[in-house]
Amino acid sequence: LYNKNGRYSVRSGYHTARYLWNELKQNGEGSNPRFGSEIWARIWKFRLPNKIKVFIWRACHNILPTLNRLRQRRIIENALCPICMQALETIIHALWECGAARDVWAGYPQRALQKGLTAQVSVLQLVEVLMQRLPEDALEVFLVQSWLLWHRRNRVVHGGLL
């Protein structure tokens, strides 16, 4: 936004940013703002290596370096999943929707993974649903397996293995 004389200034940008920040605080971010903090409090208490907890946190915050994110940053041109070559490689695709990931989850002993969890928007949404459906030990296995899937995917993408 511009100031009174029609020019943009750092001051007018600062006031716009403050206004938008106050609007966000008033509107809130979701219907249950405490739910996110409960998720992380529970995950941090799991008996898992910290690298897996941090991986899940990064996956849920959509900050893992997928091919789609690299394309958005104009680092690469092709963002198709190198494993299935059928969809853009997003985090949810790599960990849940890709055929290779579906094969892993099909062999999972908990039937909650196969029922009603086909269309997930994000890893955070998937983890929220699984936290409600799975016992703690099964959820821990899911998180470890997700980490293993990601690292296998990295070997395929960066190491040329299939």
Side-chain angles (χ1 to χ4, degrees):
L1 295 176
Y2 304 101
N3 57 19
K4 291 178 184 176
N5 65 6
R7 294 186 178 161
Y8 174 81
S9 69
V10 172
R11 182 179 179 167
S12 65
Y14 172 79
H15 288 295
T16 301
R18 294 266 317 202
Y19 171 78
L20 292 173
W21 176 255
N22 288 331
E23 286 294 310
L24 280 174
K25 282 191 340 186
Q26 289 176 359
N27 293 338
E29 291 187 11
S31 60
N32 189 355
R34 289 179 32 107
F35 191 65
S37 62
E38 291 172 9
I39 288 174
W40 301 119
R42 188 171 166 196
I43 286 178
W44 297 133
K45 289 180 183 177
F46 285 162
R47 295 165 290 143
L48 295 172
N50 285 335
K51 65 183 177 182
I52 295 175
K53 295 175 193 177
V54 170
F55 163 76
I56 293 301
W57 184 87
R58 292 181 72 208
C60 288
H61 285 85
N62 199 29
I63 57 174
L64 292 174
T66 61
L67 296 180
N68 191 45
R69 285 185 49 86
L70 293 173
R71 183 182 56 87
Q72 290 170 343
R73 292 174 163 226
R74 301 179 196 270
I75 296 171
I76 62 170
E77 290 183 20
N78 182 11
L80 274 181
C81 174
I83 297 169
C84 70
M85 302 298 284
Q86 295 178 0
L88 292 177
E89 188 198 50
T90 61
I91 298 170
I92 193 69
H93 176 80
L95 297 178
W96 188 252
E97 296 170 346
C98 183
R102 276 193 242 133
D103 289 345
V104 168
W105 302 125
Y108 198 73
Q110 296 288 330
R111 290 287 172 208
L113 288 178
Q114 289 106 22
K115 288 189 163 192
L117 293 175
T118 54
Q120 297 301 315
V121 175
S122 69
V123 175
L124 179 60
Q125 180 188 24
L126 177 63
V127 169
E128 288 173 348
V129 170
L130 293 177
M131 284 186 133
Q132 295 168 359
R133 293 184 179 191
L134 296 177
E136 187 170 310
D137 60 335
L139 187 59
E140 287 178 349
V141 171
F142 169 79
L143 298 178
V144 170
Q145 188 63 47
S146 296
W147 181 83
L148 290 169
L149 270 170
W150 181 256
H151 283 277
R152 177 62 178 161
R153 168 253 177 224
N154 284 341
R155 287 182 62 201
V156 169
V157 172
H158 302 295
L161 302 174
L162 275 178

